Amino acid sequence: GDSVTQMEGPVTLSEEAFLTINCTYTATGYPSLFWYVQYPGEGLQLLLKATKADDKGSNKGFEATYRKETTSFHLEKGSVQVSDSAVYFCALSDPLSTLTFGKGTMLLVSP
Amino acid sequence: EAQVTQNPRYLITVTGKKLTVTCSQNMNHEYMSWYRQDPGLGLRQIYYSMNVEVTDKGDVPEGYKVSRKEKRNFPLILESPSPNQTSLYFCASSSWTSGVGDTQYFGPGTRLTVL
């Protein structure tokens, strides 16, 4: 079955540091890939997505590129802020729109 | 405002006492789904529905029931809750476009404690 593996956290960074959260996937077909973010006490919200190979999703300074050859969708941001502290979930969607999530990576950004 | 609402947001109950968590969306979405979130396990799908009167099991359906009598509502029913169902529950919805990954919109979550 489909699966998503993302790096374990927490990831602890200082403000303005560079962020990478690794995500790799296993899927039989050609899934769409997503990053969702969960701020403390809230539900998940879409951060960015890519629907086919080599697509780059971007939003709020975050970006991720759909790499079919390495089955990866790593999340990056050039300069993190304290307000980026949250849990980040990598996910893939099969043609039935069923989402398979990674276990989440907590990001803690200190001033 | 486009949104998914869940009620209640917090619930403490006792083993065996039937409960229902409601979920409603105002975006005319065909697809709706329930997830539970547990530490170290991420989000796991309980049930999903492609449209009215069409439901199917997700990864962890045991101990749960759902119904989809109206397009906007997708209640989650625990007939006889047990402590291992203590969790954070999320409802989500999306439009349905065959073969394309559609963004799912999540409700704010329901924190359930079963004593």
Side-chain angles (χ1 to χ4, degrees), chain B residues 13-86:
Chain B
T13 189
V14 295
T15 299
K17 186 175 181 182
K18 180 180 178 180
L19 66 91
T20 300
V21 183
T22 64
C23 172
S24 183
Q25 50 93 4
N26 62 0
M27 295 169 279
N28 201 35
H29 285 163
E30 296 85 3
Y31 181 91
M32 297 186 74
S33 180
W34 276 103
Y35 299 89
R36 60 178 289 173
Q37 183 178 16
D38 301 290
L41 297 176
L43 279 91
R44 294 176 293 168
Q45 190 176 51
I46 303 170
Y47 269 94
Y48 63 95
S49 169
M50 298 288 203
N51 214 324
V52 176
E53 303 293 0
V54 181
T55 63
D56 211 343
K57 295 177 181 178
D59 299 319
V60 287
E62 294 79 19
Y64 304 94
K65 285 176 57 178
V66 293
S67 68
R68 188 89 182 273
K69 293 183 169 53
E70 304 167 283
K71 197 173 187 179
R72 63 183 291 123
N73 295 324
F74 190 45
L76 179 69
I77 304 157
L78 285 72
E79 295 268 5
S80 182
S82 62
N84 65 11
Q85 293 178 297
T86 293

Side-chain angles (χ1 to χ4, degrees), chain A residues 11-25:
Chain A
V11 174
T12 304
L13 295 172
S14 298
E15 207 164 26
E16 299 183 4
F18 184 87
L19 168 72
T20 300
I21 300 178
N22 290 336
C23 171
T24 57
Y25 68 90

Side-chain angles (χ1 to χ4, degrees), chain A residues 32 36 38 46 95 97-98 103, chain B residues 37 40 45 90 96 101 103-104:
Chain A
S32 294
Y36 282 83
Q38 183 180 29
L46 179 70
S97 261
T98 300
K103 293 184 178 180
Chain B
Q37 183 178 16
Q45 190 176 51
F90 289 101
W96 168 238
T103 301
Q104 291 199 19

Side-chain angles (χ1 to χ4, degrees), chain A:
Chain A
D2 297 345
S3 66
V4 175
T5 302
Q6 60 183 106
M7 61 191 291
E8 291 189 23
V11 174
T12 304
L13 295 172
S14 298
E15 207 164 26
E16 299 183 4
F18 184 87
L19 168 72
T20 300
I21 300 178
N22 290 336
C23 171
T24 57
Y25 68 90
T26 302
T28 52
Y30 300 94
S32 294
L33 301 174
F34 303 81
W35 278 100
Y36 282 83
V37 59
Q38 183 180 29
Y39 297 104
E42 298 184 12
L44 280 75
Q45 55 186 275
L46 179 70
L47 181 59
L48 54 84
K49 71 177 185 181
T51 57
K52 61 183 187 297
D54 299 325
D55 269 2
K56 177 186 282 189
S58 61
N59 185 27
K60 299 181 181 179
F62 292 89
E63 57 182 37
T65 301
Y66 190 144
R67 301 282 188 203
K68 188 167 179 288
E69 64 277 13
T70 55
T71 61
S72 64
F73 193 55
H74 304 321
L75 181 69
E76 296 182 335
K77 187 175 185 182
S79 176
V80 294
Q81 306 300 312
V82 172
S83 57
D84 292 328
S85 297
V87 181
Y88 293 81
F89 291 92
C90 185
L92 67 82
S93 175
D94 67 19
L96 291 178
S97 261
T98 300
L99 272 179
T100 299
F101 287 92
K103 293 184 178 180
T105 302
M106 179 177 287
L107 171 65
L108 300 171
V109 181
S110 56

